[in-house]
Amino acid sequence: MAETETLTLDTIAALSRAVLEAAGASPAQAAPLAAAIARAEADGIPSHGLMYLPVYAEHLGCGKVAGQAVPVLDRPRPGVVRVDAATGFAHAAIAAGRPLLIEVARENGIACLAVRNSYNCGVLGHHAEALAEAGLAALCFTNAPASIAPVGGLTPVVGTNPVALALPDGAGGARLVIDQSASVVAKSEVVKRAKAGKAIPEGWALDAAGRPTTDPAEGLKGTMVPAGGPKGVGAGLIVESFAALLAGATLGIDAAPFSGTSGGPPRTGQFLIAVDPGATAGPGFGAALDRLAAAVEAQDGARLPGARRQANRARAAVDGVIVDAATLARIRALPGGA
Amino acid sequence: MAETETLTLDTIAALSRAVLEAAGASPAQAAPLAAAIARAEADGIPSHGLMYLPVYAEHLGCGKVAGQAVPVLDRPRPGVVRVDAATGFAHAAIAAGRPLLIEVARENGIACLAVRNSYNCGVLGHHAEALAEAGLAALCFTNAPASIAPVGGLTPVVGTNPVALALPDGAGGARLVIDQSASVVAKSEVVKRAKAGKAIPEGWALDAAGRPTTDPAEGLKGTMVPAGGPKGVGAGLIVESFAALLAGATLGIDAAPFSGTSGGPPRTGQFLIAVDPGATAGPGFGAALDRLAAAVEAQDGARLPGARRQANRARAAVDGVIVDAATLARIRALPGGA
């Protein structure tokens, strides 16, 4: 039996959608998430690809995410689009708000989309890229259940809270895509090692007493190490300020976990800022971006952030994606997966 | 002879203003910078206080900053305020744009101020705080001459590029003020050690071959270490994207140095985003901020970012500030300093 199988991106999206709908998701909830799963596979981020699909299905079943949720949109001020995700997937909520966000950002030069009561949003960079593909610069924030302690403390106050940036390339695509968490590594890496019974390198997590640990189980009882020490905590707090405080979403200290089946919906948030470079920078934006990119790319061994994902994606569009057979077997055993 | 002297904040501002004006700054250029110098002293950041005043005076003399510059303001879209600093101080340019930024942010829910062709802006957090004092959440960026190399490279592509956040406390003040550079330490710390002939700790800077160094002179020929490795580079690129690319300002790789007298004006930029929490989050914002702050403050040894500066400031308003006598002697020898 082969240990991998090669699938096209369309097949991945169709399979994902069928499983999500069979688990109770409406087409409007399932479609954007299925597309995101295919894009994660294309980009070489399998942790947010098909590997996650059984969890999404389980979470639809236990009520951690509401499969029939209908996002509610309003525009309280000219530059602000808000979406109440109604405990549905963040992808559907963002998809509901994005067209108006794009329109308003072009009109006003800057606009934001504040999403509350949502489930986690997968690869944050993808939501930034979608705005860059519309010609806008995007800065995006999303929060997560608290796992990072403040400097000098032991109790988590913010999650691994990523930030993402994407700039438009002037040709309908994104360039300089940055997507980074506030911690040294994503928490999912520690979960993965815990499940596999493998040690983690020192410097990833601290135990409950704040001591460095190489035992992932002890790390999961403790806290994640912030990248750059106090600056990682600061980065996490900046993200929390936007994705929770300014989005009107649940703080990481109060959010139900993203993993497992207990605790109900996490009700976390996302905050997307979109800026029209033509309004703020004028016509020199593209040439200046080229110049900055060239300064990085001219150096042997250096790479523009996002370049690897984009290279993977270009290859996947032609060759499809190699998927782990065990993952596929698990999915095919689910309703809708056959 | 006493080695220190205690001055009131008003005295510090008046002395700074007199020296700046005697060196060629117009009242509109001098006043906001003089206030910023007093605030830096109050906050316990002497590197941006009176210690910097002789440099400002020197830079007015050599043309690195234009003392008679008149900032030019426009509003190309409803949500965008732009200021061409005309190679004057960033403080005057930001002061020129701030009232309209505040008005537009309240109206639209979100707005930005993009400043180009400016000199460095001192303590970035102060510009964020000024918006928080008007009831707005602020996220601010400023760029600097390139000093951080990309991962895998040796040549700098971004500066130590700080980011600052400030949230309104609901009572005309700021809370949760974060102000952090993309590097492990500010470059001025390395310059200070180089002047004093002291070694720097390993982990602050790399030499021109990319090797860790404890010699500040070698570090200044090389690059600054990014905080959190690749994430510090990412943070620097996010800041560069706003403060240079989106502000239409000069890239760090092209900017003339902030120090010394050669190269002319740096023409760097600032980008300030202001959000009205009442528009995006609704009435729960203040209580949620209290709850997040309490989660930090309840932990022995942990502290909310910005708390130390604010405590210093409260003390300085009553007791004044202790200033180094040698610094004062240098200032008093300058025109306007007597």
Side-chain angles (χ1 to χ4, degrees):
Chain A
M1 191 181 137
E3 287 180 12
T4 62
E5 204 169 311
T6 299
L7 300 186
T8 67
L9 297 176
D10 285 347
T11 303
I12 293 170
L15 175 63
S16 299
R17 187 167 168 171
V19 168
L20 291 167
E21 292 193 13
S26 67
Q29 286 286 332
L33 180 55
I37 290 170
R39 183 163 264 203
E41 288 287 351
D43 284 11
I45 316 170
S47 60
H48 285 79
L50 289 170
M51 201 185 283
Y52 217 125
L53 187 54
V55 178
Y56 290 137
E58 185 182 37
H59 284 180
L60 283 161
C62 73
K64 216 170 234 313
V65 62
Q68 298 294 316
V70 177
V72 179
L73 186 146
D74 72 342
R75 187 182 175 187
R77 302 275 172 88
V80 177
V81 182
R82 283 198 307 189
V83 175
D84 180 343
T87 76
F89 288 113
H91 299 75
I94 293 170
R98 189 188 297 120
L100 186 56
L101 172 64
I102 292 169
E103 187 189 320
V104 169
R106 287 177 182 155
E107 226 170 79
N108 284 357
I110 184 168
C112 62
L113 171 60
V115 176
R116 62 192 187 281
N117 288 326
S118 66
Y119 184 84
N120 89 61
C121 70
V123 179
L124 183 65
H126 289 167
H127 303 290
E129 282 191 73
L131 296 170
E133 287 162 8
L136 301 168
L139 185 67
C140 304
F141 308 96
T142 186
N143 77 327
S147 62
I148 295 177
V151 175
L154 293 174
T155 309
V157 292
V158 291
T160 52
N161 288 9
V163 60
L165 171 93
L167 301 180
D169 70 357
R175 201 164 182 197
L176 187 59
V177 181
I178 296 171
D179 184 351
Q180 58 187 43
S181 65
S183 49
V184 171
V185 293
K187 197 172 172 182
S188 57
E189 289 300 317
V190 181
V191 173
K192 207 197 295 178
R193 303 279 180 119
K195 279 185 187 157
K198 286 183 190 165
I200 53 171
E202 202 170 297
W204 283 16
L206 306 173
D207 70 14
R211 291 169 305 212
T213 182
T214 58
D215 179 343
E218 290 302 313
L220 291 172
K221 284 182 218 156
T223 58
M224 299 294 295
V225 175
K231 295 189 178 183
V233 177
L237 283 166
I238 290 174
V239 171
E240 191 77 1
S241 296
F242 280 88
L245 293 176
L246 288 169
T250 303
L251 290 167
I253 49 175
D254 295 322
F258 282 159
S259 56
T261 55
S262 66
R267 299 180 186 273
T268 44
Q270 289 80 35
F271 199 100
L272 284 60
I273 297 173
V275 176
D276 185 344
T280 62
F285 176 81
L289 174 53
D290 284 347
R291 185 160 163 69
L292 177 60
V296 176
E297 288 163 348
Q299 300 186 50
D300 276 347
R303 193 167 48 199
L304 210 61
R308 181 155 46 185
R309 285 187 187 179
Q310 287 177 322
N312 288 341
R313 192 184 302 169
R315 202 167 40 236
V318 179
D319 299 339
V321 173
I322 298 168
V323 179
D324 175 54
T327 300
L328 269 178
R330 266 196 302 279
I331 290 167
R332 287 179 176 144
L334 295 172
Chain B
M1 189 178 137
E3 287 180 12
T4 62
E5 205 171 309
T6 299
L7 300 185
T8 68
L9 298 176
D10 285 348
T11 303
I12 293 170
L15 175 63
S16 299
R17 189 165 166 174
V19 169
L20 291 167
E21 293 193 14
S26 68
Q29 287 286 331
L33 179 55
I37 290 171
R39 184 164 263 202
E41 289 288 350
D43 285 11
I45 316 171
S47 60
H48 285 78
L50 289 170
M51 201 185 282
Y52 217 124
L53 187 53
V55 179
Y56 290 136
E58 184 182 38
H59 285 180
L60 283 162
C62 74
K64 215 170 235 312
V65 62
Q68 298 293 316
V70 177
V72 179
L73 186 146
D74 72 342
R75 187 180 174 186
R77 302 275 173 89
V80 177
V81 181
R82 283 198 308 191
V83 175
D84 181 343
T87 76
F89 288 113
H91 299 75
I94 293 171
R98 189 188 298 124
L100 185 55
L101 172 64
I102 291 170
E103 186 189 320
V104 169
R106 288 177 182 156
E107 224 172 80
N108 282 358
I110 184 169
C112 62
L113 171 61
V115 176
R116 61 191 188 283
N117 288 327
S118 65
Y119 184 84
N120 89 63
C121 70
V123 179
L124 184 65
H126 288 168
H127 303 290
E129 283 191 72
L131 296 170
E133 287 162 8
L136 301 168
L139 186 67
C140 304
F141 308 97
T142 187
N143 77 327
S147 61
I148 295 177
V151 176
L154 293 175
T155 308
V157 292
V158 290
T160 52
N161 286 11
V163 60
L165 171 92
L167 301 179
D169 70 356
R175 200 165 182 195
L176 188 60
V177 181
I178 296 170
D179 184 352
Q180 57 186 43
S181 66
S183 49
V184 172
V185 293
K187 198 172 172 185
S188 57
E189 290 299 317
V190 181
V191 174
K192 207 195 297 179
R193 303 278 180 121
K195 280 185 188 160
K198 286 184 188 164
I200 54 171
E202 203 170 297
W204 282 17
L206 306 173
D207 69 15
R211 292 170 305 212
T213 182
T214 57
D215 179 343
E218 289 302 312
L220 291 172
K221 284 182 219 157
T223 58
M224 297 294 296
V225 175
K231 295 190 178 181
V233 178
L237 284 166
I238 290 174
V239 170
E240 192 76 0
S241 296
F242 280 88
L245 292 175
L246 289 169
T250 304
L251 290 167
I253 49 175
D254 295 322
F258 283 158
S259 57
T261 54
S262 67
R267 297 180 187 274
T268 44
Q270 290 79 35
F271 199 100
L272 283 60
I273 298 173
V275 177
D276 185 345
T280 62
F285 175 81
L289 174 52
D290 284 345
R291 187 161 162 68
L292 177 60
V296 175
E297 288 163 349
Q299 301 187 48
D300 276 346
R303 191 169 48 200
L304 210 61
R308 181 156 43 185
R309 284 186 188 180
Q310 286 176 323
N312 288 342
R313 192 183 302 168
R315 202 167 38 236
V318 177
D319 299 338
V321 173
I322 298 168
V323 179
D324 176 53
T327 300
L328 270 178
R330 265 196 303 278
I331 290 168
R332 288 181 176 143
L334 294 172

